[in-house]
Coordinates of all heavy atoms in Angstrom, one line a residue:
Q3 N 118.8 40.2 130.3 CA 119.7 39.2 130.8 C 119.0 37.8 131.0 O 119.6 36.8 130.9 CB 120.3 39.6 132.1 CG 121.2 40.8 132.0 CD 121.8 41.2 133.3 OE1 121.5 40.7 134.4 NE2 122.7 42.2 133.3
L4 N 117.7 37.8 131.2 CA 117.0 36.6 131.3 C 117.0 35.8 130.0 O 117.0 34.6 129.9 CB 115.5 36.8 131.7 CG 115.3 37.2 133.2 CD1 113.9 37.5 133.4 CD2 115.8 36.1 134.1
E5 N 117.1 36.6 128.9 CA 117.1 36.0 127.5 C 118.4 35.2 127.4 O 118.4 34.1 126.7 CB 117.1 37.1 126.5 CG 117.1 36.6 125.1 CD 115.8 36.0 124.7 OE1 114.8 36.3 125.3 OE2 115.8 35.3 123.7
L6 N 119.5 35.6 128.0 CA 120.7 34.8 127.9 C 120.6 33.5 128.5 O 121.3 32.5 128.1 CB 121.9 35.6 128.6 CG 122.3 36.9 127.8 CD1 123.4 37.6 128.7 CD2 122.9 36.6 126.5
V7 N 119.8 33.3 129.6 CA 119.6 32.1 130.2 C 118.5 31.3 129.7 O 118.6 30.1 129.3 CB 119.5 32.3 131.8 CG1 119.2 31.0 132.5 CG2 120.7 33.0 132.3
F8 N 117.3 31.9 129.6 CA 116.1 31.2 129.3 C 115.6 31.4 127.8 O 114.6 30.8 127.4 CB 114.9 31.7 130.2 CG 115.2 31.4 131.6 CD1 115.6 32.4 132.5 CD2 115.1 30.1 132.2 CE1 115.8 32.2 133.8 CE2 115.4 29.9 133.5 CZ 115.8 30.9 134.3
G9 N 116.3 32.2 127.1 CA 115.8 32.5 125.7 C 116.0 31.4 124.7 O 116.5 30.3 125.1
R10 N 115.6 31.6 123.5 CA 115.6 30.6 122.5 C 117.0 30.0 122.3 O 117.1 28.8 122.0 CB 115.1 31.2 121.2 CG 114.6 30.2 120.2 CD 114.0 30.9 119.0 NE 115.2 31.2 118.2 CZ 115.1 31.8 117.0 NH1 113.9 32.1 116.5 NH2 116.2 32.0 116.3
N11 N 118.0 30.8 122.4 CA 119.4 30.3 122.2 C 120.1 30.5 123.5 O 121.4 30.7 123.5 CB 120.1 31.1 121.1 CG 119.5 30.8 119.7 OD1 119.2 29.6 119.5 ND2 119.3 31.8 118.9
G12 N 119.4 30.4 124.6 CA 120.0 30.6 125.9 C 120.9 29.5 126.4 O 121.0 28.4 125.8
V13 N 121.5 29.7 127.6 CA 122.4 28.8 128.2 C 121.7 27.5 128.5 O 122.2 26.4 128.3 CB 123.1 29.4 129.4 CG1 123.8 28.4 130.2 CG2 123.9 30.6 129.1
L14 N 120.5 27.5 129.0 CA 119.8 26.3 129.4 C 119.5 25.4 128.2 O 119.8 24.2 128.2 CB 118.5 26.6 130.1 CG 118.6 27.2 131.5 CD1 117.2 27.5 132.1 CD2 119.4 26.3 132.4
K15 N 119.1 26.0 127.1 CA 118.8 25.2 125.9 C 120.2 24.6 125.4 O 120.3 23.5 125.0 CB 118.2 26.0 124.8 CG 117.9 25.2 123.5 CD 117.1 26.0 122.5 CE 116.9 25.2 121.3 NZ 116.3 26.0 120.2
F16 N 121.2 25.5 125.3 CA 122.5 25.0 124.8 C 123.1 23.9 125.7 O 123.6 22.9 125.2 CB 123.4 26.3 124.8 CG 124.8 25.9 124.4 CD1 125.2 25.7 123.1 CD2 125.8 25.9 125.4 CE1 126.5 25.4 122.7 CE2 127.1 25.6 125.0 CZ 127.5 25.3 123.7
G17 N 122.9 24.1 127.0 CA 123.5 23.1 127.9 C 122.8 21.8 128.0 O 123.4 20.8 128.1
F18 N 121.5 21.9 128.0 CA 120.7 20.6 128.2 C 120.3 19.9 126.9 O 120.2 18.7 126.9 CB 119.5 20.9 129.0 CG 119.8 21.2 130.5 CD1 119.6 22.5 131.0 CD2 120.3 20.2 131.3 CE1 119.9 22.8 132.3 CE2 120.6 20.5 132.6 CZ 120.4 21.8 133.1
I19 N 120.1 20.6 125.9 CA 119.7 20.0 124.6 C 120.9 19.6 123.8 O 120.8 18.6 123.1 CB 118.7 20.8 123.9 CG1 117.4 21.0 124.7 CG2 118.3 20.3 122.5 CD1 116.4 21.9 124.2
G20 N 121.9 20.4 123.8 CA 123.0 20.2 122.9 C 123.8 18.9 123.3 O 123.6 18.3 124.4
D21 N 124.8 18.6 122.5 CA 125.6 17.4 122.7 C 127.0 17.7 123.2 O 127.9 16.9 123.2 CB 125.7 16.6 121.4 CG 124.4 16.0 121.0 OD1 123.6 15.7 121.8 OD2 124.2 15.8 119.8
L22 N 127.2 19.0 123.6 CA 128.5 19.4 124.1 C 128.9 18.6 125.3 O 130.1 18.2 125.5 CB 128.6 20.9 124.3 CG 129.9 21.5 124.7 CD1 130.9 21.2 123.6 CD2 129.8 22.9 125.0
L23 N 128.0 18.4 126.2 CA 128.3 17.7 127.5 C 127.5 16.4 127.5 O 126.4 16.3 127.0 CB 127.8 18.6 128.7 CG 128.5 19.9 128.9 CD1 127.9 20.7 130.0 CD2 130.0 19.8 129.1
S24 N 128.1 15.4 128.2 CA 127.4 14.1 128.4 C 126.3 14.4 129.5 O 126.3 15.4 130.2 CB 128.4 13.1 128.9 OG 128.9 13.4 130.2
W25 N 125.4 13.4 129.6 CA 124.4 13.6 130.6 C 125.0 13.6 132.0 O 124.6 14.4 132.9 CB 123.3 12.5 130.5 CG 122.3 12.9 129.5 CD1 122.2 12.4 128.2 CD2 121.3 13.9 129.7 NE1 121.1 13.1 127.6 CE2 120.6 14.0 128.4 CE3 121.0 14.8 130.7 CZ2 119.6 15.0 128.3 CZ3 120.0 15.7 130.5 CH2 119.3 15.8 129.3
P26 N 126.0 12.8 132.4 CA 126.6 13.0 133.7 C 127.2 14.4 133.9 O 127.2 14.9 135.0 CB 127.7 11.9 133.8 CG 127.1 10.8 132.8 CD 126.5 11.6 131.7
G27 N 127.8 14.9 132.8 CA 128.4 16.2 132.9 C 127.3 17.3 133.1 O 127.5 18.3 133.8
K28 N 126.2 17.2 132.4 CA 125.1 18.1 132.6 C 124.5 18.0 134.0 O 124.2 19.1 134.6 CB 124.0 17.8 131.6 CG 124.4 18.0 130.1 CD 123.3 17.5 129.2 CE 123.8 17.7 127.7 NZ 122.8 17.2 126.8
I29 N 124.4 16.8 134.5 CA 123.8 16.7 135.9 C 124.8 17.3 136.9 O 124.4 18.0 137.8 CB 123.6 15.2 136.1 CG1 122.4 14.7 135.3 CG2 123.3 15.0 137.6 CD1 122.2 13.2 135.2
R30 N 126.1 17.0 136.7 CA 127.1 17.6 137.7 C 127.1 19.1 137.6 O 127.1 19.7 138.7 CB 128.5 17.0 137.3 CG 129.6 17.7 138.0 CD 129.6 17.5 139.5 NE 130.6 18.2 140.2 CZ 130.6 19.5 140.6 NH1 129.5 20.2 140.4 NH2 131.6 20.0 141.2
A31 N 127.0 19.7 136.4 CA 127.0 21.1 136.3 C 125.7 21.7 137.0 O 125.8 22.7 137.7 CB 127.1 21.5 134.9
A32 N 124.6 21.1 136.7 CA 123.3 21.5 137.3 C 123.4 21.5 138.8 O 122.9 22.4 139.5 CB 122.2 20.7 136.7
I33 N 123.9 20.4 139.4 CA 124.0 20.3 140.8 C 124.8 21.4 141.4 O 124.4 22.0 142.4 CB 124.5 18.9 141.2 CG1 123.5 17.8 140.9 CG2 125.0 18.9 142.7 CD1 124.0 16.4 141.1
G34 N 126.0 21.6 140.8 CA 126.9 22.7 141.3 C 126.3 24.0 141.2 O 126.4 24.9 142.1
A35 N 125.6 24.3 140.1 CA 125.1 25.6 139.8 C 123.8 25.9 140.6 O 123.6 27.0 141.1 CB 124.8 25.8 138.3
L36 N 123.0 24.9 140.8 CA 121.6 25.1 141.4 C 121.5 24.7 142.8 O 120.8 25.3 143.6 CB 120.6 24.4 140.5 CG 120.5 24.8 139.1 CD1 119.5 24.0 138.3 CD2 120.2 26.3 138.9
L37 N 122.2 23.6 143.2 CA 122.0 23.1 144.5 C 123.1 23.4 145.5 O 123.0 23.3 146.7 CB 121.8 21.5 144.4 CG 120.6 21.1 143.6 CD1 120.6 19.5 143.6 CD2 119.3 21.6 144.2
G38 N 124.3 23.8 145.0 CA 125.4 24.1 145.8 C 126.6 23.4 145.5 O 126.6 22.5 144.7
H39 N 127.7 23.8 146.1 CA 129.0 23.3 145.9 C 129.9 23.6 147.1 O 129.5 24.2 148.0 CB 129.6 23.9 144.6 CG 129.5 25.4 144.6 ND1 130.3 26.3 145.3 CD2 128.6 26.2 144.0 CE1 129.9 27.5 145.1 NE2 128.9 27.5 144.3
E40 N 131.1 23.0 147.1 CA 132.0 23.2 148.2 C 132.4 24.7 148.3 O 132.5 25.4 147.3 CB 133.3 22.4 147.9 CG 133.1 20.9 147.9 CD 134.5 20.2 147.6 OE1 135.5 20.8 147.9 OE2 134.4 19.1 147.1
P41 N 132.7 25.1 149.5 CA 133.2 26.5 149.6 C 134.6 26.7 149.1 O 135.3 25.7 149.0 CB 133.1 26.7 151.1 CG 133.2 25.4 151.7 CD 132.6 24.4 150.7
P42 N 134.9 27.9 148.7 CA 136.3 28.2 148.2 C 137.3 27.9 149.3 O 137.0 28.1 150.5 CB 136.3 29.6 147.8 CG 135.2 30.2 148.5 CD 134.1 29.2 148.8
P43 N 138.5 27.6 148.9 CA 139.6 27.4 149.9 C 140.0 28.8 150.5 O 139.9 29.8 149.8 CB 140.8 26.8 149.1 CG 140.5 27.2 147.7 CD 139.0 27.3 147.5
T44 N 140.3 28.8 151.8 CA 140.6 30.0 152.4 C 142.1 30.3 152.5 O 142.6 31.4 152.7 CB 140.1 30.0 153.9 OG1 140.7 28.8 154.5 CG2 138.6 29.9 153.9
D45 N 142.9 29.3 152.2 CA 144.4 29.4 152.3 C 145.1 29.8 151.0 O 146.3 30.1 151.1 CB 145.0 28.1 152.8 CG 144.7 26.9 151.9 OD1 143.7 27.0 151.2 OD2 145.4 25.9 152.0
K46 N 144.4 29.9 149.9 CA 145.1 30.2 148.6 C 144.0 30.8 147.6 O 142.8 30.6 147.8 CB 145.8 29.1 148.0 CG 144.9 28.0 147.5 CD 145.7 26.9 146.8 CE 144.8 26.0 146.0 NZ 145.2 25.8 144.7
E47 N 144.6 31.4 146.6 CA 143.7 31.9 145.5 C 143.5 30.9 144.5 O 144.5 30.2 144.1 CB 144.4 33.2 144.9 CG 143.5 33.9 144.0 CD 144.1 35.3 143.6 OE1 144.8 35.9 144.4 OE2 143.8 35.7 142.5
E48 N 142.3 30.6 144.1 CA 142.0 29.6 143.1 C 142.4 30.0 141.7 O 142.3 31.1 141.3 CB 140.5 29.3 143.1 CG 140.0 28.5 144.3 CD 138.6 28.1 144.1 OE1 137.8 29.1 144.2 OE2 138.3 27.0 144.0
T49 N 142.8 28.9 140.9 CA 143.0 29.1 139.5 C 141.6 29.0 138.8 O 140.7 28.5 139.4 CB 144.0 28.1 138.9 OG1 143.3 26.8 139.1 CG2 145.3 28.1 139.6
I50 N 141.6 29.3 137.5 CA 140.3 29.2 136.8 C 139.9 27.7 136.8 O 138.7 27.4 137.0 CB 140.5 29.7 135.3 CG1 140.7 31.2 135.4 CG2 139.3 29.3 134.5 CD1 141.0 31.8 134.1
R51 N 140.8 26.8 136.6 CA 140.5 25.4 136.6 C 139.9 24.9 137.9 O 138.9 24.2 138.0 CB 141.7 24.5 136.2 CG 141.3 23.0 136.2 CD 142.5 22.1 135.9 NE 142.0 20.8 135.7 CZ 142.2 20.0 134.7 NH1 143.0 20.5 133.8 NH2 141.7 18.8 134.6
E52 N 140.6 25.3 139.0 CA 140.1 24.9 140.3 C 138.7 25.4 140.6 O 137.8 24.7 141.1 CB 141.1 25.4 141.4 CG 142.4 24.7 141.4 CD 143.4 25.3 142.2 OE1 143.3 26.5 142.5 OE2 144.4 24.7 142.5
W53 N 138.4 26.7 140.2 CA 137.1 27.3 140.5 C 136.0 26.6 139.7 O 135.0 26.3 140.2 CB 137.2 28.8 140.1 CG 136.1 29.6 140.6 CD1 135.9 30.2 141.8 CD2 134.9 29.9 139.8 NE1 134.7 30.9 141.8 CE2 134.1 30.7 140.7 CE3 134.4 29.5 138.6 CZ2 132.8 31.2 140.3 CZ3 133.1 30.0 138.2 CH2 132.4 30.8 139.0
V54 N 136.3 26.4 138.4 CA 135.2 25.8 137.5 C 135.0 24.4 137.9 O 133.8 23.9 138.0 CB 135.6 25.9 136.0 CG1 134.7 25.1 135.1 CG2 135.7 27.4 135.6
T55 N 136.0 23.6 138.1 CA 135.8 22.2 138.5 C 135.1 22.0 139.9 O 134.3 21.1 140.1 CB 137.1 21.4 138.4 OG1 138.0 22.0 139.3 CG2 137.6 21.3 137.0
R56 N 135.4 22.9 140.8 CA 134.7 22.9 142.1 C 133.2 23.2 141.9 O 132.4 22.5 142.6 CB 135.4 23.9 143.0 CG 134.8 24.0 144.4 CD 135.6 24.9 145.3 NE 135.7 26.2 144.8 CZ 134.7 27.2 145.0 NH1 133.6 26.9 145.6 NH2 134.9 28.4 144.6
I57 N 132.9 24.1 141.1 CA 131.5 24.5 141.0 C 130.7 23.7 139.9 O 129.6 23.2 140.1 CB 131.4 26.0 140.7 CG1 131.9 26.7 141.9 CG2 129.9 26.4 140.4 CD1 132.0 28.2 141.7
L58 N 131.3 23.5 138.7 CA 130.5 22.9 137.6 C 131.0 21.6 137.2 O 130.4 20.9 136.4 CB 130.6 23.9 136.4 CG 130.0 25.3 136.6 CD1 130.2 26.2 135.5 CD2 128.5 25.2 137.0
G59 N 132.2 21.2 137.6 CA 132.7 19.9 137.2 C 133.8 19.9 136.2 O 134.0 20.9 135.4
E60 N 134.5 18.8 136.1 CA 135.7 18.7 135.2 C 135.3 18.7 133.7 O 136.0 19.3 132.9 CB 136.4 17.3 135.5 CG 137.6 17.1 134.7 CD 138.8 17.9 135.2 OE1 138.8 18.4 136.3 OE2 139.8 17.9 134.5
E61 N 134.1 18.1 133.4 CA 133.7 18.1 132.0 C 133.4 19.5 131.4 O 133.8 19.8 130.3 CB 132.5 17.2 131.8 CG 132.2 17.0 130.3 CD 131.1 15.9 130.1 OE1 130.7 15.2 131.1 OE2 130.6 15.8 129.0
V62 N 132.8 20.3 132.2 CA 132.5 21.7 131.8 C 133.8 22.4 131.6 O 134.0 23.2 130.6 CB 131.6 22.4 132.8 CG1 131.5 23.9 132.5 CG2 130.2 21.8 132.9
F63 N 134.8 22.2 132.5 CA 136.1 22.9 132.3 C 136.7 22.4 131.0 O 137.1 23.2 130.2 CB 137.0 22.6 133.5 CG 138.4 23.1 133.2 CD1 138.7 24.4 133.3 CD2 139.4 22.2 132.8 CE1 140.0 24.9 133.0 CE2 140.7 22.7 132.5 CZ 140.9 24.0 132.6
L64 N 136.8 21.1 130.8 CA 137.5 20.6 129.6 C 136.9 21.0 128.3 O 137.5 21.2 127.3 CB 137.7 19.1 129.7 CG 138.6 18.6 130.8 CD1 138.6 17.1 130.9 CD2 140.0 19.1 130.6
R65 N 135.5 20.9 128.3 CA 134.8 21.2 127.0 C 134.5 22.6 126.7 O 134.3 23.0 125.6 CB 133.6 20.3 127.0 CG 133.9 18.8 127.0 CD 132.9 18.1 126.4 NE 133.4 16.8 126.0 CZ 132.9 16.1 125.0 NH1 131.8 16.6 124.4 NH2 133.3 14.9 124.7
C66 N 134.3 23.4 127.7 CA 133.8 24.8 127.5 C 134.8 25.8 127.9 O 135.2 26.7 127.1 CB 132.5 25.0 128.3 SG 131.2 23.9 127.9
I67 N 135.3 25.8 129.1 CA 136.1 26.8 129.7 C 137.6 26.8 129.2 O 138.2 27.8 128.8 CB 136.1 26.8 131.2 CG1 134.6 26.8 131.7 CG2 136.9 27.9 131.8 CD1 133.8 28.0 131.2
D68 N 138.2 25.6 129.2 CA 139.6 25.5 128.7 C 139.8 26.1 127.3 O 140.7 26.9 127.2 CB 140.1 24.1 128.8 CG 141.5 23.9 128.6 OD1 142.3 24.8 128.8 OD2 141.9 22.8 128.1
P69 N 139.0 25.7 126.3 CA 139.2 26.3 125.0 C 139.0 27.8 125.0 O 139.7 28.5 124.3 CB 138.2 25.6 124.1 CG 137.8 24.3 124.8 CD 138.0 24.6 126.3
F70 N 138.0 28.3 125.7 CA 137.7 29.7 125.7 C 138.8 30.5 126.3 O 139.3 31.4 125.8 CB 136.4 29.9 126.5 CG 136.2 31.4 126.8 CD1 135.7 32.2 125.8 CD2 136.4 31.8 128.1 CE1 135.5 33.6 126.1 CE2 136.2 33.2 128.4 CZ 135.7 34.0 127.4
V71 N 139.3 30.1 127.5 CA 140.3 30.8 128.2 C 141.6 30.7 127.5 O 142.4 31.7 127.4 CB 140.5 30.3 129.7 CG1 141.7 30.9 130.3 CG2 139.2 30.6 130.5
S72 N 141.9 29.6 126.9 CA 143.2 29.4 126.2 C 143.2 30.3 124.9 O 144.2 30.9 124.6 CB 143.4 28.0 125.7 OG 143.5 27.1 126.9
G73 N 142.0 30.5 124.3 CA 142.0 31.3 123.1 C 141.9 32.8 123.4 O 142.6 33.6 122.8
V74 N 141.1 33.2 124.4 CA 141.0 34.6 124.7 C 142.2 35.2 125.4 O 142.7 36.2 125.1 CB 139.7 34.8 125.5 CG1 139.6 36.3 126.0 CG2 138.4 34.5 124.7
Y75 N 142.7 34.4 126.4 CA 143.8 35.0 127.2 C 145.1 34.4 126.8 O 146.1 34.9 127.3 CB 143.5 34.6 128.7 CG 142.4 35.3 129.3 CD1 141.1 34.8 129.4 CD2 142.5 36.7 129.7 CE1 140.1 35.4 129.9 CE2 141.5 37.4 130.2 CZ 140.2 36.7 130.3 OH 139.2 37.4 130.8
A76 N 145.2 33.5 125.8 CA 146.4 32.9 125.4 C 147.2 32.4 126.6 O 148.4 32.6 126.7 CB 147.2 33.8 124.5
G77 N 146.5 31.9 127.6 CA 147.1 31.5 128.8 C 146.7 30.1 129.2 O 145.7 29.5 128.7
N78 N 147.3 29.6 130.3 CA 146.9 28.3 130.8 C 146.0 28.5 132.0 O 146.3 29.0 133.0 CB 148.2 27.6 131.3 CG 148.0 26.2 131.8 OD1 146.8 25.8 131.9 ND2 149.0 25.5 132.1
P79 N 144.7 28.0 131.8 CA 143.7 28.2 132.9 C 144.1 27.4 134.2 O 143.5 27.6 135.2 CB 142.4 27.6 132.3 CG 142.8 26.8 131.1 CD 144.1 27.3 130.7
E80 N 145.1 26.5 134.1 CA 145.5 25.8 135.3 C 146.5 26.7 136.1 O 146.7 26.4 137.3 CB 146.2 24.5 134.9 CG 145.3 23.6 134.3 CD 145.9 22.2 134.0 OE1 146.8 21.8 134.7 OE2 145.4 21.6 133.0
T81 N 146.9 27.8 135.6 CA 147.8 28.7 136.3 C 147.2 30.1 136.5 O 147.7 30.9 137.3 CB 149.2 28.8 135.7 OG1 149.1 29.3 134.3 CG2 149.9 27.4 135.7
L82 N 146.3 30.5 135.6 CA 145.7 31.8 135.7 C 144.8 32.0 136.9 O 144.0 31.1 137.2 CB 144.8 32.1 134.5 CG 145.6 32.5 133.2 CD1 144.6 32.5 132.0 CD2 146.3 33.8 133.3
S83 N 144.9 33.1 137.6 CA 144.1 33.3 138.8 C 142.7 33.7 138.4 O 142.5 34.5 137.5 CB 144.7 34.5 139.6 OG 143.7 35.0 140.5
M84 N 141.7 33.1 139.0 CA 140.3 33.3 138.7 C 140.0 34.8 139.0 O 139.3 35.5 138.1 CB 139.4 32.4 139.5 CG 137.9 32.5 139.2 SD 137.6 32.1 137.6 CE 135.8 32.5 137.5
K85 N 140.4 35.3 140.1 CA 140.1 36.7 140.5 C 140.7 37.7 139.5 O 140.2 38.8 139.3 CB 140.4 37.0 141.9 CG 139.5 36.3 142.9 CD 139.8 36.6 144.3 CE 138.8 36.0 145.2 NZ 139.0 36.3 146.6
A86 N 141.9 37.4 139.1 CA 142.7 38.3 138.2 C 142.1 38.3 136.7 O 142.0 39.3 136.1 CB 144.1 38.0 138.2
A87 N 141.8 37.1 136.2 CA 141.4 36.9 134.8 C 139.9 37.2 134.6 O 139.5 37.8 133.6 CB 141.8 35.6 134.3
L88 N 139.1 36.7 135.5 CA 137.6 36.8 135.4 C 137.0 37.3 136.7 O 136.2 36.6 137.3 CB 137.1 35.4 135.0 CG 137.6 34.8 133.8 CD1 137.2 33.3 133.7 CD2 137.2 35.5 132.5
P89 N 137.3 38.6 137.1 CA 136.9 39.1 138.4 C 135.3 39.1 138.5 O 134.8 38.9 139.6 CB 137.5 40.4 138.5 CG 137.8 40.8 137.1 CD 138.0 39.6 136.3
R90 N 134.6 39.5 137.5 CA 133.2 39.6 137.6 C 132.5 38.2 137.9 O 131.6 38.1 138.6 CB 132.5 40.2 136.4 CG 132.8 41.6 136.2 CD 132.1 42.2 135.1 NE 132.4 43.7 135.0 CZ 131.9 44.4 134.1 NH1 131.2 43.9 133.1 NH2 132.2 45.7 134.1
I91 N 133.0 37.2 137.3 CA 132.5 35.9 137.5 C 132.9 35.4 138.9 O 132.1 34.8 139.6 CB 132.9 34.9 136.4 CG1 132.4 35.3 135.1 CG2 132.5 33.5 136.8 CD1 132.9 34.5 133.9
A92 N 134.1 35.7 139.3 CA 134.6 35.3 140.6 C 133.8 35.9 141.7 O 133.7 35.3 142.8 CB 136.1 35.6 140.8
R93 N 133.3 37.1 141.5 CA 132.5 37.8 142.5 C 131.1 37.1 142.8 O 130.5 37.5 143.8 CB 132.2 39.2 142.1 CG 133.3 40.1 142.5 CD 133.0 41.6 142.3 NE 133.8 42.0 141.1 CZ 133.4 42.9 140.2 NH1 132.2 43.4 140.2 NH2 134.2 43.2 139.2
I94 N 130.8 36.1 142.1 CA 129.5 35.4 142.3 C 129.5 34.9 143.7 O 128.5 34.9 144.4 CB 129.3 34.3 141.3 CG1 129.1 34.8 139.9 CG2 128.3 33.3 141.7 CD1 129.1 33.8 138.8
E95 N 130.6 34.4 144.2 CA 130.7 33.9 145.6 C 130.9 34.9 146.7 O 130.8 34.5 147.9 CB 131.8 32.8 145.6 CG 131.5 31.6 144.8 CD 132.5 30.5 145.0 OE1 133.7 30.7 144.8 OE2 132.0 29.4 145.4
D96 N 131.2 36.1 146.3 CA 131.5 37.1 147.4 C 130.2 37.6 148.1 O 129.2 37.5 147.6 CB 132.2 38.3 146.8 CG 133.7 37.9 146.4 OD1 134.1 36.9 146.9 OD2 134.3 38.7 145.7

């Protein structure tokens, strides 16, 4: 699993060296992933969009997550529940 993050074609190389995200987008994603982010809302269940933008930022959602979720689930990530569609990822905060 370390290979997926730190390997030759890992997430870190893809995210920081590639041109998929702008430098402000990369910095925002790193801050959210490594330094912390806002807590989840307690009064409602988050959508995929709300969860990703809260943790990694709007640019990561628009460039990475939106096309993936739209293609795989043939659904709208602005209405899909994070816990229902991607429960393993949602458990990161539990």
Side-chain angles (χ1 to χ4, degrees):
Q3 291 181 357
L4 289 175
E5 182 73 19
L6 291 173
V7 176
F8 299 106
R10 202 177 80 176
N11 293 317
V13 172
L14 289 180
K15 181 178 179 184
F16 176 76
F18 287 111
I19 296 175
D21 293 331
L22 184 61
L23 298 175
S24 67
W25 276 105
K28 292 174 186 181
I29 292 168
R30 169 61 182 91
I33 288 171
L36 302 174
L37 299 179
H39 46 79
E40 295 179 27
T44 56
D45 59 336
K46 69 176 194 127
E47 194 169 325
E48 282 183 295
T49 65
I50 293 173
R51 181 184 188 127
E52 292 167 340
W53 192 90
V54 172
T55 56
R56 180 174 57 84
I57 295 175
L58 300 173
E60 184 76 12
E61 188 173 348
V62 170
F63 172 77
L64 292 174
R65 297 205 160 207
C66 303
I67 305 303
D68 186 28
F70 168 76
V71 171
S72 298
V74 171
Y75 292 97
N78 184 351
E80 295 185 29
T81 58
L82 283 171
S83 162
M84 182 65 185
K85 288 184 179 180
L88 303 168
R90 288 186 178 178
I91 296 173
R93 274 190 251 146
I94 290 172
E95 292 188 303
D96 290 345

